[in-house]
Amino acid sequence: MSTRPREQAQPLLIVGSMAFDDLDLPSEKARDVVGGSATYASLAASLFAPARIVAVVGQDFPDAALISLRERGVDTAGVERAKGKTFRWWGRYADNLGSRETLDTQLNVFADFRPILPDAFKDSPYVMLGNIHPALQLEVLAQVRSPRLVVADTMNFWIEGERKLLGEVLAKLDLLVINDEELRQLAGIHNIRRAAAAVRRLGPKKLVVKRGEYGALLFDDNGTFFAPAYPLDGEIDPTGAGDTFAGALLGYLANVGEIDTANVKRAMMMAATVASFCVEDVGTRRVERLTRQELAWRLDELRQLVHFQA
Amino acid sequence: MSTRPREQAQPLLIVGSMAFDDLDLPSEKARDVVGGSATYASLAASLFAPARIVAVVGQDFPDAALISLRERGVDTAGVERAKGKTFRWWGRYADNLGSRETLDTQLNVFADFRPILPDAFKDSPYVMLGNIHPALQLEVLAQVRSPRLVVADTMNFWIEGERKLLGEVLAKLDLLVINDEELRQLAGIHNIRRAAAAVRRLGPKKLVVKRGEYGALLFDDNGTFFAPAYPLDGEIDPTGAGDTFAGALLGYLANVGEIDTANVKRAMMMAATVASFCVEDVGTRRVERLTRQELAWRLDELRQLVHFQA
């Protein structure tokens, strides 16, 4: 599963949120942690391909965070700095990290976000639509000239209220990445296999279902594939692990270029590996200091986890 | 993963419960379903090896159920028919089968069960101790001359109250099969990996953690292995799936004879396959009519589920 250097891969575009997260974790209360789906996803994607990010931040957002992204190969030319405060989320995790509750959400500048792509981003062959209003997702797609692969990740907020627009987005997707509860809600079917079949009929030929610590399932025309999660022994902060998974998945696909079932399987194994690192420290810290060697070693462990001689 | 005919395998001994289950399922209310851990486990094990069962039933237990077990290769000489009524459990499942509650438990003759092995059973090389009081598990072990492999499956009722005796049992085990919540309770540690390490220090060198629809994990001196669950699209009744998994696991190991990591991995894949059938009909019905061809096909599907070219 060797990958080429990032610079040799085609660029990918990620639209989503950038945020300050206040995290009440069992290990600490972390404040003003730079997060948001676009932050996590682009950092993970940039391990494999040049990532372009479209998002909005407020005047309170530190330049240092954008510089840090750029140093890791993320093009932040699409990050708009708007008047007001950055999107902020406050969450409290259970002692065992198995569940969390939202204590506060302040949309701030994210409430009026209208994603505008810099001209240089409009040729992006790989596109990930993060968890923003489906009308905005459609606006983003309208600005991209001829994408090779359109992926959406997570759409929980819009399943109830924006069914029709969501349907328009689904029809334009090549790959939908979604967690299992969203899938059930979207399909109105509890059984994962039947829910997946129903959602695939709405558009995305390929569907990746994220199940957190229980791994991820792929459903496509060639059948079903399961990528396990890496069994960690020291979870610190699960925030952003799903975004990290999706970003690494798209990054790997942009790196290899050929979007077939075999590569999506490999991309899922890689994505599960990168996501496992995300959970090992607060925010993006662990992925920021991740080395190629660490990634290769753990990927090999993950492969061994499901390996047996029949 | 070819297996030899059952008759060529060494016999295994299973001690556990036989019961009438009343099952409030989403699809039907099933009454007087013949169940119990020993019933499910021995039926599954007998697909691969001669199974010997030690259990107690009441005067109300139908001969036909014992005959049916014998027809499938289960030696029921160790089933004691006691004065009184058979153990009875009444459970109600949620609409999505994701959870269940116990509405009533009547121990009846099971309350005074003292497992006595027929002489012909005392040479059993493979032994499974089901979910009975640890004092009784020790009594069973004392009656077996020189077991090659001692397995225990599920011990939730005794973790709180019988810690010391449970420790004695654990020290005598080669393999413990347990579900994830039991593992956490037994270790007093939430993290699966660390909990597994702690429980392995109490005795069983090999530990298989059952996670229901999320698969099963093996922890042993050679590392960690994950066997996925088969993603079903028509679950009917999950009752006994865990017992079926454990029974098939032991049956497969008795069939191949050599208890090494590679064979335990194969046994887990086989066990996951057999258990998936259990869920497809009420009680033991689906496993009773399971054919070798169906088993082989689904096992192959399960292998494909985690197969990818690195």
Short mmCIF file of all heavy atoms in Angstrom, two decimals, chain B residues 57-70 76 81:
data_model
loop_
_atom_site.label_atom_id
_atom_site.label_comp_id
_atom_site.label_asym_id
_atom_site.label_seq_id
_atom_site.Cartn_x
_atom_site.Cartn_y
_atom_site.Cartn_z
N VAL B 57 -33.01 -30.98 33.11
CA VAL B 57 -34.32 -30.54 32.64
C VAL B 57 -35.37 -31.05 33.63
O VAL B 57 -35.10 -31.93 34.46
CB VAL B 57 -34.65 -31.06 31.22
CG1 VAL B 57 -33.65 -30.52 30.21
CG2 VAL B 57 -34.68 -32.60 31.19
N GLY B 58 -36.58 -30.53 33.54
CA GLY B 58 -37.67 -30.97 34.40
C GLY B 58 -38.53 -32.01 33.72
O GLY B 58 -38.26 -32.43 32.59
N GLN B 59 -39.57 -32.40 34.45
CA GLN B 59 -40.44 -33.44 33.90
C GLN B 59 -41.25 -32.95 32.70
O GLN B 59 -41.78 -33.74 31.93
CB GLN B 59 -41.39 -33.95 35.00
CG GLN B 59 -40.64 -34.73 36.09
CD GLN B 59 -41.33 -34.69 37.43
OE1 GLN B 59 -41.83 -33.63 37.85
NE2 GLN B 59 -41.37 -35.83 38.12
N ASP B 60 -41.32 -31.61 32.56
CA ASP B 60 -42.11 -31.04 31.46
C ASP B 60 -41.31 -30.95 30.16
O ASP B 60 -41.81 -30.46 29.15
CB ASP B 60 -42.59 -29.64 31.85
CG ASP B 60 -41.44 -28.72 32.31
OD1 ASP B 60 -40.30 -29.23 32.47
OD2 ASP B 60 -41.69 -27.52 32.50
N PHE B 61 -40.06 -31.39 30.19
CA PHE B 61 -39.21 -31.21 29.00
C PHE B 61 -39.52 -32.30 27.97
O PHE B 61 -39.54 -33.49 28.32
CB PHE B 61 -37.74 -31.24 29.38
CG PHE B 61 -36.82 -30.64 28.34
CD1 PHE B 61 -36.67 -29.27 28.23
CD2 PHE B 61 -36.14 -31.46 27.45
CE1 PHE B 61 -35.83 -28.72 27.28
CE2 PHE B 61 -35.30 -30.92 26.48
CZ PHE B 61 -35.14 -29.54 26.40
N PRO B 62 -39.74 -31.95 26.72
CA PRO B 62 -40.16 -32.95 25.73
C PRO B 62 -39.02 -33.89 25.31
O PRO B 62 -37.92 -33.45 25.01
CB PRO B 62 -40.61 -32.10 24.54
CG PRO B 62 -39.89 -30.80 24.68
CD PRO B 62 -39.66 -30.59 26.15
N ASP B 63 -39.33 -35.19 25.30
CA ASP B 63 -38.38 -36.18 24.78
C ASP B 63 -37.94 -35.81 23.36
O ASP B 63 -36.80 -36.03 22.98
CB ASP B 63 -39.03 -37.58 24.76
CG ASP B 63 -38.94 -38.23 26.14
OD1 ASP B 63 -37.94 -37.98 26.86
OD2 ASP B 63 -39.88 -38.98 26.50
N ALA B 64 -38.89 -35.28 22.61
CA ALA B 64 -38.59 -34.98 21.20
C ALA B 64 -37.39 -34.04 21.07
O ALA B 64 -36.60 -34.17 20.12
CB ALA B 64 -39.82 -34.34 20.53
N ALA B 65 -37.25 -33.11 22.02
CA ALA B 65 -36.12 -32.16 21.95
C ALA B 65 -34.80 -32.88 22.17
O ALA B 65 -33.79 -32.56 21.53
CB ALA B 65 -36.30 -31.04 22.97
N LEU B 66 -34.80 -33.86 23.07
CA LEU B 66 -33.57 -34.63 23.31
C LEU B 66 -33.27 -35.53 22.12
O LEU B 66 -32.11 -35.69 21.72
CB LEU B 66 -33.72 -35.45 24.60
CG LEU B 66 -33.87 -34.63 25.89
CD1 LEU B 66 -34.13 -35.55 27.09
CD2 LEU B 66 -32.63 -33.77 26.13
N ILE B 67 -34.31 -36.11 21.57
CA ILE B 67 -34.13 -36.97 20.39
C ILE B 67 -33.55 -36.15 19.24
O ILE B 67 -32.65 -36.59 18.53
CB ILE B 67 -35.48 -37.62 20.00
CG1 ILE B 67 -35.90 -38.62 21.09
CG2 ILE B 67 -35.38 -38.29 18.64
CD1 ILE B 67 -37.34 -39.08 20.98
N SER B 68 -34.08 -34.94 19.09
CA SER B 68 -33.60 -34.05 18.02
C SER B 68 -32.11 -33.74 18.20
O SER B 68 -31.35 -33.73 17.22
CB SER B 68 -34.43 -32.77 18.03
OG SER B 68 -33.84 -31.80 17.21
N LEU B 69 -31.69 -33.52 19.43
CA LEU B 69 -30.26 -33.28 19.69
C LEU B 69 -29.45 -34.53 19.33
O LEU B 69 -28.39 -34.44 18.70
CB LEU B 69 -30.03 -32.91 21.15
CG LEU B 69 -30.40 -31.48 21.57
CD1 LEU B 69 -30.33 -31.33 23.09
CD2 LEU B 69 -29.47 -30.47 20.89
N ARG B 70 -29.94 -35.69 19.76
CA ARG B 70 -29.20 -36.94 19.48
C ARG B 70 -29.06 -37.18 17.99
O ARG B 70 -28.02 -37.61 17.51
CB ARG B 70 -29.89 -38.12 20.16
CG ARG B 70 -29.66 -38.14 21.67
CD ARG B 70 -29.96 -39.51 22.27
NE ARG B 70 -31.38 -39.84 22.31
CZ ARG B 70 -32.21 -39.50 23.30
NH1 ARG B 70 -31.78 -38.79 24.33
NH2 ARG B 70 -33.48 -39.87 23.27
N THR B 76 -26.76 -37.11 24.81
CA THR B 76 -27.54 -36.50 25.90
C THR B 76 -27.55 -37.37 27.16
O THR B 76 -28.38 -37.15 28.05
CB THR B 76 -29.00 -36.25 25.45
OG1 THR B 76 -29.60 -37.52 25.14
CG2 THR B 76 -29.06 -35.34 24.24
N ARG B 81 -32.94 -35.73 34.25
CA ARG B 81 -34.33 -35.29 34.30
C ARG B 81 -34.73 -35.26 35.78
O ARG B 81 -34.86 -36.30 36.43
CB ARG B 81 -35.23 -36.23 33.51
CG ARG B 81 -36.62 -35.64 33.28
CD ARG B 81 -37.49 -36.57 32.47
NE ARG B 81 -37.22 -36.57 31.04
CZ ARG B 81 -37.76 -35.71 30.17
NH1 ARG B 81 -38.56 -34.76 30.60
NH2 ARG B 81 -37.50 -35.81 28.88
#
